[in-house]
Amino acid sequence: MTEDSGTTEGAAPRRLRVFLVDDHAMFRAGVRAELGVHVDVVGEASTVAEAVSRIALTVPDVVLLDVHMPDGGGRAVLDAMRRTHPGIRFLALSVSDAAEDVIGLIRAGARGYVTKTISPDELASAVRRVADGDAVFSPRLAGFVLDAFAARPDAPVADPELDQLTNREREVLRLLARGYAYKEIAKELFISIKTVETHVSNVLRKLQMSNRYELSRWAADRRLV
């Protein structure tokens, strides 16, 4: 486990056990091939439900966690796992460098956040550092975290209302505020119109609003559009 993942005098460092969560099989295969030199990849998942059940079974040292997935994303995995498995470290690995994604994952319990442009050697180093208890961020993303946790007035997401939305709900909200129709949102996010309606309904309920125009204004005020 993470507590003894470091080196012991006179002994080789123990290979870390890593779990991959990403909805793209080819990306998982690439990460597994590159990281397999440095760590033991003990499992994979492409959905939130798979991730929650398989992580609980394998109990890895570190989970590499995609931020956006069709059924809820990395935050849903964190929300489900943090209470029951507090010893597992989570490192977000995403194409997104949006401030709200970075802060949302960190506030949910991830120990770091790096983008998918990271090199294999840098990723292996990030995994090791997260397992050892460090916080790891891609250089540009570290500023978001410092801003948010320093509680600066212009911090992008020190926002309890925003924090209660899932990543997918934020994506739907952002497109809605840009004027997309439900059909267009469904096409953009590869989900059904019924699912879009459900997400919009959930956002309205959570934010205690009654229509999309209020949502659009709310999103624009927070520069989410």
Side-chain angles (χ1 to χ4, degrees):
M1 293 300 296
T2 53
E3 288 73 9
D4 63 355
S5 59
T7 59
T8 300
E9 187 175 355
R14 183 176 66 83
R15 284 174 65 87
L16 293 172
R17 303 173 71 253
V18 175
F19 193 100
L20 308 179
V21 181
D22 194 293
D23 59 324
H24 293 97
M26 290 185 65
F27 180 78
R28 293 199 310 273
V31 172
R32 184 173 62 249
E34 296 287 354
L35 273 189
V37 178
H38 307 279
V39 303
D40 290 332
V41 178
V42 297
E44 302 178 12
S46 61
T47 67
V48 172
E50 283 182 351
V52 170
S53 62
R54 293 179 184 176
I55 291 170
L57 287 174
T58 55
V59 193
D61 298 302
V62 177
V63 175
L64 283 179
L65 190 62
D66 193 12
V67 176
H68 297 285
M69 293 187 292
D71 60 342
R75 181 161 180 164
V77 177
L78 271 166
D79 289 342
M81 301 302 302
R82 290 300 295 168
R83 290 184 181 177
T84 56
H85 295 78
I88 298 175
R89 312 287 192 190
F90 290 83
L91 173 62
L93 176 61
S94 175
V95 295
S96 172
D97 60 0
E100 61 267 29
D101 287 337
V102 178
I103 303 304
L105 264 290
I106 298 306
R107 289 169 68 91
R111 291 294 302 175
Y113 193 116
V114 295
T115 59
K116 290 182 175 178
T117 57
I118 193 170
S119 73
D121 287 343
E122 289 172 333
L123 181 57
S125 174
V127 168
R128 173 65 65 183
R129 290 174 58 195
V130 165
D132 287 343
D134 291 342
V136 179
F137 302 95
S138 295
R140 196 176 85 82
L141 308 185
F144 298 154
V145 180
L146 290 173
D147 285 347
F149 286 88
R152 284 172 35 175
D154 59 347
V157 260
D159 188 331
E161 287 187 308
L162 181 62
D163 284 350
Q164 66 183 316
L165 304 183
T166 66
N167 288 322
R168 182 60 91 189
E169 288 168 350
R170 294 182 194 191
E171 290 176 328
V172 170
L173 172 60
R174 183 178 296 111
L175 294 175
L176 196 70
R178 289 176 180 173
Y180 283 53
Y182 285 10
K183 182 179 180 180
E184 294 171 319
I185 295 173
K187 183 178 180 181
E188 182 74 16
L189 298 179
F190 302 101
I191 57 180
S192 70
I193 294 176
K194 181 66 176 177
T195 301
V196 173
E197 292 173 347
T198 299
H199 286 311
V200 172
S201 177
N202 289 340
V203 173
L204 286 169
R205 175 178 51 77
K206 290 180 179 179
L207 298 180
Q208 298 183 354
M209 296 179 186
S210 58
N211 58 61
R212 64 177 298 171
Y213 302 105
E214 288 181 297
L215 287 178
S216 297
R217 187 166 58 249
W218 186 90
D221 288 344
R222 285 161 173 78
R223 294 179 291 178
L224 300 177
V225 179

